[in-house]
């Protein structure tokens, strides 16, 4: 049977689980009020934080300005140093090194060896009005050319039988060029070997052999390490180095005649 609401009739409020009358509009209003309250609290917190920051800045303004000034001055000083000191020094050092590099290459290319000593001395001491590598390494120690001058000095000293000086110069040299750094380690080994310091020589030959596992430097320094170990009476180590050449680098010049050396180490 159909039913009709009387005029002025209001639907009763829904009751919750506890029997308390509730109204959807009331609930929505409560939720809105709670959101407004949370938002207000959030803004109050932000205001308090901002006020604290402003107070800190006001109380420490001199210190902050001083710090920023120091940073700015340091940045400007660094840029000025790079532009007006470091870069000109790099260029000047490279110009000084050019003649020494030419003499070094001539000494290396002198297969007869008749002029190599005098050429290496020119490398060390200088010529044509230009510094030698010893002075370049000292005067321009913070430059790439000054660093490279240590390598040239070390090799020149080694070839003129000044072995202690060679070690000193080569130990000052550092490079990201793996080939040059490997050759420098091997040259230190040669300098120790020439002084009959076989243990120290072996240490650097092994470092050089392990630094770059290519077909040029590794077999070369493995062979030197093997011969040095053999001279020290370390046959087991010598056999290991010779066998490495036999197994992995037999086609290289060092691989020729390696069987005889393996026989001596066995």
């Amino acid at each position: 049977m159909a039913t009709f609401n009387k005029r002025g009739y209001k639907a009763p409020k829904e009751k919750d689980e506890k029997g308390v009358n509730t109204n959807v509009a009331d609930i929505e209003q409560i939720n809105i009020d709670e959101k407004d309250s949370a938002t207000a609290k959030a803004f109050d917190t932000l205001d308090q934080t901002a006020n604290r920051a402003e107070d800190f800045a006001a109380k420490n303004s001199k210190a902050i300005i001083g710090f920023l000034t120091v940073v700015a001055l340091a940045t400007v000083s660094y840029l000025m140093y790079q532009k007006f000191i470091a870069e000109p020094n790099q260029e000047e050092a490279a110009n000084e090194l050019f003649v020494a590099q030419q003499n070094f290459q001539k000494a290396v290319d002198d297969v007869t060896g008749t002029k190599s000593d005098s050429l290496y001395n020119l490398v060390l001491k200088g010529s044509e009005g230009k510094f030698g590598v010893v002075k370049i390494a000292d005067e321009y120690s913070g430059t790439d050319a000054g660093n490279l001058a240590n390598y040239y000095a070390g090799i020149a000293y080694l070839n003129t039988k000044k072995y202690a000086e060679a070690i000193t110069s080569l130990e000052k040299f550092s490079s990201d060029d793996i080939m040059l750094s490997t050759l420098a380690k091997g040259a230190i080994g040669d300098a120790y070997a020439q002084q009959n310091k076989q243990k120290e020589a072996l240490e650097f030959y092994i470092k050089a052999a392990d630094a770059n596992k290519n077909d040029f430097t590794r077999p070369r320094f493995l062979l030197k390490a093997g011969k040095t170990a053999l001279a020290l009476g370390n046959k087991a180590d010598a056999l290991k180095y010779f066998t490495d050449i036999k197994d992995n680098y037999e086609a290289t010049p060092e691989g020729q005649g390696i069987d005889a050396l393996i026989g001596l180490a066995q």
Side-chain angles (χ1 to χ4, degrees):
M1 183 178 68
T3 59
F4 299 92
N5 291 332
K6 294 181 179 179
R7 186 184 302 272
Y9 172 81
K10 292 183 179 179
K13 295 181 180 180
E14 296 179 359
K15 292 186 178 181
D16 59 17
E17 293 178 355
K18 295 181 179 180
V20 179
N21 290 330
T22 60
N23 184 281
V24 174
D26 292 339
I27 293 172
E28 290 178 350
Q29 184 61 45
I30 291 169
N31 289 339
I32 291 170
D33 290 343
E34 287 177 349
K35 289 180 182 178
D36 289 344
S37 177
T39 302
K41 287 180 181 179
F43 278 112
D44 286 342
T45 301
L46 290 174
D47 287 341
Q48 291 172 8
T49 303
N51 289 335
R52 284 197 294 270
E54 289 174 0
D55 290 343
F56 177 83
K59 291 177 181 178
N60 299 276
S61 59
K62 290 184 179 180
I64 293 171
I65 293 171
F67 173 76
L68 294 175
T69 301
V70 169
V71 172
L73 286 174
T75 303
V76 171
S77 297
Y78 174 77
L79 294 174
M80 295 284 283
Y81 172 81
Q82 289 294 319
K83 184 171 182 61
F84 296 107
I85 297 177
E87 290 178 9
N89 275 352
Q90 290 277 12
E91 185 176 350
E92 188 176 325
N95 289 335
E96 288 288 345
L97 189 61
F98 180 71
V99 173
Q101 286 176 312
Q102 287 184 317
N103 287 326
F104 184 88
Q105 192 59 50
K106 290 175 183 177
V108 171
D109 294 340
D110 182 22
V111 293
T112 63
T114 56
K115 298 180 179 179
S116 61
D117 282 358
S118 60
L119 287 168
Y120 280 125
N121 280 317
L122 290 178
V123 171
L124 290 166
K125 297 177 181 179
S127 64
E128 301 178 29
K130 296 295 184 181
F131 292 157
V133 291
V134 175
K135 191 163 186 178
I136 293 171
D138 182 51
E139 294 283 332
Y140 303 98
S141 59
T143 66
D144 292 338
N147 178 51
L148 188 57
N150 284 311
Y151 175 80
Y152 289 129
I155 301 302
Y157 278 134
L158 180 63
N159 282 278
T160 52
K161 302 181 181 180
K162 296 178 180 178
Y163 305 120
E165 292 89 339
I167 293 169
T168 299
S169 292
L170 290 167
E171 286 183 335
K172 292 178 182 178
F173 172 71
S174 62
S175 176
D176 292 332
D177 187 310
I178 191 65
M179 187 63 73
L180 276 183
S181 61
T182 298
L183 292 174
K185 290 182 178 70
I188 292 174
D190 289 341
Y192 277 122
Q194 291 296 328
Q195 296 178 90
N196 202 30
K197 296 179 179 180
Q198 302 301 332
K199 289 183 180 179
E200 292 85 348
L202 179 58
E203 177 187 348
F204 278 91
Y205 287 147
I206 294 170
K207 286 181 179 180
D210 291 341
N212 192 6
K213 297 184 179 181
N214 58 59
D215 290 347
F216 172 62
T217 59
R218 183 163 171 80
R220 176 181 178 180
F221 293 118
L222 280 174
L223 183 62
K224 291 188 176 188
K227 288 180 177 179
T228 304
L230 201 58
L232 289 168
N234 299 334
K235 286 190 173 183
D237 287 341
L239 181 60
K240 179 176 66 176
Y241 304 136
F242 294 147
T243 302
D244 194 336
I245 296 173
K246 170 75 174 175
D247 292 344
N248 300 298
Y249 306 100
E250 192 173 14
T252 65
E254 291 78 13
Q256 308 305 309
I258 197 67
D259 288 335
L261 290 170
I262 289 175
L264 288 174
Q266 288 175 333

